[in-house]
Amino acid sequence: MAAISTDTLTSIVPADFARLSALVQDRCGIQLPETKRPMVEARLRKRLLQLGLNSFSDYWRLLFHPVHQAAELIPLTDALTTNKTDFLREPAHFALLEKTVLPALYAAGLGRRKPLRVWSAAASTGEEPYTLGMVLSEWGRTERSFDFSVLGTDISTQVLAQARQGTYSEAAIAPLPEAWRRAYLLRARTASAPAPFRIAPELRARVRFGQLNLMDDDYALPHRYAIIFCRNVMIYFNRKTQADVIRKLTHNLIPGGYLFVGHSESLQSHDLPLVTVAPSAYQWGSLQAGEEV
Ligand SMILES: C[S@@+](CC[C@H](N)C(=O)[O-])C[C@H]1O[C@@H](n2cnc3c(N)ncnc32)[C@H](O)[C@@H]1O
């Protein structure tokens, strides 16, 4: 094991920051350049306090311990991931789903006898997969036989617990139209609850969650998906990791399936077998009539 430097709770010395960055990049794909050091220190200080440790040196002993590392990687990941998300974030994607993507998929036979499968691959606290659930439910009002399911995955155990709970504050639900709030949210009886709105059970039943690290070699998912949302996570990855992740996501699409990435994550410069259908929305291959996957 490399020599452990002496430091205090207040700062991480450069050599230790480099070791930490290498570990986080290897396990989560997330790049931690020097400019992120103040953020990392602030977040890890909270972890040190939870553990009752007085210095980063003590923390490195735990984090780089051959036996204890696996367990500590979970709270480390929870501490270092950026989980910002919103209902209806980047709304152009949802308009495209409604106007173009869902009609095309349904016309090809998807969502008729088997559910149309949608995957939100960096689901954070659930706003994105539940928005997808709402958009698909709304679209299904006009096509009575339409059926769908949404899978939300993330690397962070903490955000997944919140997503499964499906409770949100008044501020969090603000982007949702009033009619959707009435249709898809229940209000807690105790008005003073910090997150007084809960996703209605019918929608929660269609949106499932699981842990998945986009760095895994094989995503080992039981199905291929007609629509994959992987938004606002690849900005934290380096170019090679981005290309690897996009390739693995594409392998999990049905022919003619759609991949959506964040608006600041254009795939234009990657050499990929994907056709651009709108800014940051791509299609892989072509749909076949009578498709059922
Ligand atoms: C900024 S949020 C984006 C949430 C949502 N997709 C959106 O656009 O609003 C990024 C999410 O990616 C997750 N994440 C980071 N690295 C990951 C990895 N290697 N595998 C899976 N999820 C990861 C984080 O835990 C976080 O919840």
Side-chain angles (χ1 to χ4, degrees), residues 28 82-85 89 122 128 154-155 213-214 231-232:
C28 316
T82 298
N83 310 118
K84 192 211 160 346
T85 186
R89 184 178 191 182
E128 180 177 275
D154 201 283
I155 193 174
N213 184 350
L214 292 165
R231 306 190 307 167
N232 303 305

Side-chain angles (χ1 to χ4, degrees), residues 41-251:
E41 285 175 347
R43 292 187 184 185
L44 286 190
R45 259 178 230 131
K46 289 189 192 146
R47 179 67 189 143
L48 264 64
L49 289 173
Q50 276 173 358
L51 291 166
L53 299 178
N54 294 321
S55 74
F56 281 117
S57 300
D58 291 341
Y59 186 62
W60 309 139
R61 258 182 224 107
L62 172 74
L63 182 62
F64 291 100
H65 189 282
V67 175
H68 300 307
Q69 183 174 82
E72 184 52 28
L73 278 170
I74 297 167
L76 177 76
T77 307
D78 287 340
L80 294 183
T81 46
T82 298
N83 310 118
K84 192 211 160 346
T85 186
D86 285 311
F87 284 104
L88 277 171
R89 184 178 191 182
E90 300 182 11
H93 284 159
F94 300 108
L96 185 74
L97 281 187
E98 188 200 331
K99 294 202 173 68
T100 309
V101 172
L102 294 175
L105 292 170
Y106 190 69
L110 285 143
R112 289 174 193 261
R113 270 174 299 190
K114 288 186 192 165
L116 179 108
R117 293 195 175 88
V118 182
W119 174 25
S120 163
S124 189
T125 40
E127 286 87 335
E128 180 177 275
Y130 287 127
T131 299
L132 286 163
M134 292 177 198
V135 170
L136 273 79
S137 298
E138 288 296 307
W139 193 82
R141 284 177 191 273
T142 52
E143 301 292 351
R144 291 191 57 205
S145 62
F146 181 65
D147 191 13
F148 71 89
S149 66
V150 181
L151 171 68
T153 62
D154 201 283
I155 193 174
S156 162
T157 46
Q158 223 163 51
V159 294
L160 285 169
Q162 288 179 50
R164 285 194 182 99
Q165 179 68 23
T167 54
Y168 298 96
S169 67
E170 180 109 43
I173 64 152
L176 293 172
E178 184 54 42
W180 291 22
R181 292 189 206 177
R182 279 199 300 274
Y184 304 112
L185 297 172
L186 300 177
R187 201 189 172 106
R189 286 205 188 90
T190 44
S192 60
F197 296 94
R198 186 159 199 212
I199 303 294
E202 302 76 32
L203 182 54
R204 267 188 285 130
R206 287 177 180 267
V207 183
R208 299 278 164 195
F209 291 94
Q211 191 165 31
L212 186 144
N213 184 350
L214 292 165
M215 294 295 282
D216 287 351
D217 290 337
D218 177 3
Y219 294 163
L221 289 164
H223 304 288
R224 290 204 286 165
Y225 293 82
I227 299 168
I228 299 178
F229 271 50
C230 186
R231 306 190 307 167
N232 303 305
V233 60
M234 282 188 279
I235 31 165
Y236 302 108
F237 298 164
N238 67 23
R239 215 182 131 70
K240 179 183 178 308
T241 304
Q242 287 174 0
D244 289 346
V245 168
I246 296 158
R247 184 180 40 76
K248 288 181 279 183
L249 292 171
T250 308
H251 285 165

